[in-house]
């Protein structure tokens, strides 16, 4: 499956990352609209107002994005901050400033460029599948027209960005120096003082154990837990109690036959003789004559339509497909073209039809008349639709009964379960905060758990109120058994603490002994006791501990041998002797080239950021209304 928005180049990532919050709906260049007067204007960018409504919509859009990503963990209060609002405003201002510069620079994208970009994005090397293209867009809530506008905006931004990208580069000497640092090799020997060698020297007293226990009390806490019962009321529970008769199905079918009619289907093809906007009368006449000649030719041999389209059509997307336009859907083609296609019989050749793109010669390659689906074919579909209608009407009534029953008969969930045909579920070891390990279980919801672990619920063990945990989903529960938070007794964890303290004290002794030995080695330059030398680099540490490798390459190696000591957690104290520093005999040119590109990309990103800031100054941004008082409206 092709991605809905595929990044065209690395620069596009940089540009969009800087100026556009990813979840914002991008506004077409030069098409800003303000829905407020001066009193409701937050800021002016390039003389154009940014209204309170536009700002609020941007906040809601971003909150929707976070809500989808975070699920049950989403807490809108965390986002009701001045910092969050200011970030949204900064993003909107940057977007407007860049778009204003695009308009000033008269940047545009031709129809041919747009068509080619769409074909490359959704068709690749194979055939362009119009139906699949529309389906992909529809899944994202867009039409081809909307996507065309979005693509034009992005491609125009890319034109602006390319001019900045080409100025972003680092000198070769800088790239080479950084690459040399990354590939540098050091010959290293290791002398490890194992922590286990110092364990016999450690004497752990009762006072040390008690001190550790008190200082690290949180490690020994056992959180409060409960065994619970709960019932779930949702649309599935309603549907299970709804039935429809064959007579109802038949009646619904007769009353809604239009909805079960497969509409007429026309597959069309065209040959385009392109015209530029604003073409002269002579050019229009020449194009019309060329199209008329094709019409005359094809009416003699209509079976050659695909061959002629490949040879003469000036539509870069459809020509190589024999002019195929796929199944014609309402609004997908220019109005004159669509109207002409709907009048043609299968295989008939149209007169030349003019649109904004030029002159079209059209034919219908496949025609299926409208067909009413028989009742037997759609019986299940009709029954499901009727059940949903009935369930929707019954839901409110049953939801009210659920809410009232769990409250009025609060000493048990059995009455509501019996009344509405629900099942009582149980769960053990439940705590008052949602658990990521529990997943999307009905009770693993912050609102429900807050009600369940309220003081009244814990003390009385009565039913909670009905809590909405998801759309059309109510949950009620009660605590059956409750264990308050506690602390494991010292006697129970004494052995574990003694072992931990022993290793910590042994590590201190190892570190002290190692530091003393390190100082002596720096004075003597001795290599006695070290392991065999091995050649390491930042990318190939040859089994060297990660912390040790970092210390080895941070060490000053201007004077050799050089020594560095590292406290390696869980192992002991390591001393490392650096005897040689060198560059590899064979340079990896591919890696060097890749690193140079990355460095240039970083420089380009910084230059793009600086350019955006310059455009914001050029746009003479004026903040007219403080946003700190704006309340983030709850989004449901």
């Amino acid at each position: 499956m092709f991605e809905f928005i595929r990044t065209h180049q690395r620069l596009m990532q940089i540009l969009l990352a800087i100026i556009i919050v990813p979840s914002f709906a991008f506004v077409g260049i030069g098409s800003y609209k303000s829905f407020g007067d001066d009193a409701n204007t937050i800021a002016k960018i390039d003389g154009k107002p940014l209204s309170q409504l536009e700002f609020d919509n941007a906040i809601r859009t971003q909150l929707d994005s976070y809500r989808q990503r975070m699920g049950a963990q989403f807490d809108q209060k965390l986002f009701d901050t001045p910092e969050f609002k200011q970030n949204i405003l900064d993003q909107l201002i940057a977007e407007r400033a860049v778009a204003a510069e695009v308009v000033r620079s008269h940047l545009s994208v031709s129809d041919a460029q747009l068509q080619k970009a769409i074909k490359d994005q959704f068709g690749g090397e194979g055939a362009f599948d119009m139906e699949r293209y529309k389906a992909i867009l529809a899944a994202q809530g867009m039409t081809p027209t909307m996507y065309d506008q979005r693509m034009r905006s992005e491609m125009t931004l890319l034109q602006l960005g390319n001019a900045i990208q080409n100025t972003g580069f680092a000198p070769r000497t800088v790239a080479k120096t950084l690459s040399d640092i990354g590939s540098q090799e050091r010959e290293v020997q290791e002398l490890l003082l194992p922590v286990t060698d110092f364990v016999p020297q450690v004497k752990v007293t009762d006072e040390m154990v008690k001190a550790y226990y008190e200082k690290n009390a949180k490690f020994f806490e056992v959180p409060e837990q409960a065994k619970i019962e709960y019932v779930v009321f949702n649309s599935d529970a309603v549907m299970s109690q709804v039935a429809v008769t064959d007579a109802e199905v038949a009646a619904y079918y007769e009353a809604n036959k239009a909805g079960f009619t497969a509409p007429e289907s026309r597959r069309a093809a065209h040959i385009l003789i392109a015209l530029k906007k604003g073409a002269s009368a002579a050019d229009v006449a020449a194009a019309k004559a060329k199209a008329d000649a094709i019409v005359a030719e094809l009416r003699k041999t209509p079976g050659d339509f695909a061959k002629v389209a490949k040879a003469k059509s000036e539509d870069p997307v459809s020509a190589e497909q024999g002019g195929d336009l796929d199944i014609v859907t309402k609004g997908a083609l220019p109005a004159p073209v669509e109207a002409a296609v709907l009048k043609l019989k299968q295989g008939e050749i149209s007169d030349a039809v003019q649109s904004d793109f030029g002159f079209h010669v059209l034919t219908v390659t496949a025609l299926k008349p409208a067909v009413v689906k028989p009742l037997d074919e759609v019986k299940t579909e009709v029954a499901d639709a009727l059940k949903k209608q009935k369930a929707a009407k019954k839901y409110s009534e049953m939801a009210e009964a659920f809410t009232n029953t769990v409250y009025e008969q609060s000493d048990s969930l059995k009455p509501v379960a019996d009344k509405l045909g629900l099942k009582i579920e149980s769960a053990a070891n439940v705590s008052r905060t949602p658990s990521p390990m529990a997943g999307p279980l009905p009770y693993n919801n912050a609102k429900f758990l807050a009600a369940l672990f309220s003081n009244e619920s814990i003390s009385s063990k009565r039913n909670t109120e009905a809590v909405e945990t998801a759309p059309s989903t109510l949950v009620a529960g009660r605590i059956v058994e409750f264990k308050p938070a506690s602390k494991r007794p010292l006697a129970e964890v004494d052995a574990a603490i003694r072992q931990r303290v022993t290793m910590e004290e042994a590590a201190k002794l190892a570190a002290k002994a190692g530091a003393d030995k390190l100082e002596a080695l720096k004075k003597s330059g001795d290599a006695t006791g070290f392991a065999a030398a091995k050649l390491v680099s930042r990318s190939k540490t040859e089994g060297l501990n990660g912390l040790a490798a970092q210390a080895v390459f941070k060490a000053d190696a201007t004077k050799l041998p050089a020594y560095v000591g590292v406290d390696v957690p869980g192992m002991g104290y390591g001393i490392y002797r650096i005897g040689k520093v060198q560059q590899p005999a064979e340079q990896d040119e591919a890696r060097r080239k890749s690193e140079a590109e990355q460095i240039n990309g970083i420089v380009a990103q910084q230059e793009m950021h600086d350019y955006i800031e310059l455009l914001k100054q050029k746009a003479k941004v004026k903040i007219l209304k403080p946003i700190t008082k704006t309340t983030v409206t709850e989004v449901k």
Side-chain angles (χ1 to χ4, degrees), residues 58-130:
I59 287 182
R60 291 191 186 96
T61 301
Q62 187 67 350
L63 288 174
D64 276 340
S65 174
Y66 282 121
R67 182 185 297 278
Q68 291 173 7
R69 281 183 279 170
M70 298 173 67
Q73 307 303 315
F74 176 80
D75 183 354
Q76 188 157 312
K77 293 179 182 178
L78 298 176
F79 298 95
D80 197 3
T81 65
E83 293 79 12
F84 176 74
K85 298 168 194 171
Q86 186 62 49
N87 183 58
I88 300 294
L89 179 61
D90 290 343
Q91 299 276 3
L92 289 172
I93 289 172
E95 177 185 334
R96 296 287 179 91
V98 171
E101 181 65 16
V102 168
V103 173
R104 280 193 293 268
S105 301
H106 303 291
L107 299 178
S108 62
V109 174
S110 70
D111 293 336
Q113 288 175 312
L114 177 63
Q115 289 174 354
K116 185 178 185 302
I118 291 175
K119 181 180 182 299
D120 290 343
Q121 188 173 10
F122 290 90
E125 296 298 325
F128 182 81
D129 188 335
M130 177 63 75

Side-chain angles (χ1 to χ4, degrees), residues 491-540:
E492 187 178 312
V493 295
D494 181 87
I497 292 177
R498 287 183 184 275
Q499 183 178 6
R500 181 64 180 266
V501 172
T502 297
M503 297 307 294
E504 287 184 358
E505 294 299 315
K508 292 177 184 177
L509 294 175
K512 183 178 183 306
D516 293 342
K517 190 169 186 63
L518 177 63
E519 290 304 314
L521 288 170
K522 286 181 178 179
K523 295 176 182 178
S524 67
D526 189 14
T528 304
F530 282 88
K534 52 186 173 183
L535 206 59
V536 299
S537 68
R538 284 177 171 81
S539 59
K540 297 180 180 179

Side-chain angles (χ1 to χ4, degrees), residues 170-192:
R172 291 182 181 178
T173 52
V174 173
K176 182 179 183 302
T177 299
L178 292 174
S179 183
D180 286 345
I181 292 173
S183 61
Q184 185 186 87
E185 296 175 339
R186 295 192 172 192
E187 186 182 82
V188 179
Q189 292 174 274
E190 181 183 51
L191 174 60
L192 183 65

Side-chain angles (χ1 to χ4, degrees), residues 119 124-128 306 309-311 313 315-324:
K119 181 180 182 299
E125 296 298 325
F128 182 81
K310 288 182 180 180
S313 179
D315 179 350
V317 175
S318 69
E320 61 186 66
Q321 309 301 323
D324 183 36

Side-chain angles (χ1 to χ4, degrees), residues 114-232:
L114 177 63
Q115 289 174 354
K116 185 178 185 302
I118 291 175
K119 181 180 182 299
D120 290 343
Q121 188 173 10
F122 290 90
E125 296 298 325
F128 182 81
D129 188 335
M130 177 63 75
E131 202 63 31
R132 185 163 176 267
Y133 168 64
K134 293 175 182 175
I136 293 172
L137 296 186
Q140 303 294 329
M142 297 190 79
T143 65
T145 301
M146 294 166 63
Y147 188 63
D148 284 356
Q149 182 182 3
R150 183 166 188 162
M151 281 289 290
R152 282 187 191 276
S153 298
E154 290 191 4
M155 291 173 70
T156 310
L157 283 173
L158 191 58
Q159 289 182 31
L160 178 66
N162 277 329
I164 307 304
Q165 182 191 35
N166 294 334
T167 67
F169 70 94
R172 291 182 181 178
T173 52
V174 173
K176 182 179 183 302
T177 299
L178 292 174
S179 183
D180 286 345
I181 292 173
S183 61
Q184 185 186 87
E185 296 175 339
R186 295 192 172 192
E187 186 182 82
V188 179
Q189 292 174 274
E190 181 183 51
L191 174 60
L192 183 65
L193 282 65
V195 67
T196 52
D197 291 354
F198 295 86
V199 169
Q201 302 177 35
V202 177
K203 303 297 180 186
V204 179
T205 65
D206 291 342
E207 288 73 19
M208 293 168 68
V209 172
K210 185 177 180 182
Y212 185 94
Y213 179 75
E214 293 175 351
K215 183 179 179 180
N216 300 278
K218 63 179 181 179
F219 294 151
F220 309 109
E221 289 180 354
V222 179
E224 60 183 350
Q225 293 182 344
K227 181 179 179 181
I228 70 167
E229 292 179 344
Y230 65 95
V231 288
V232 180

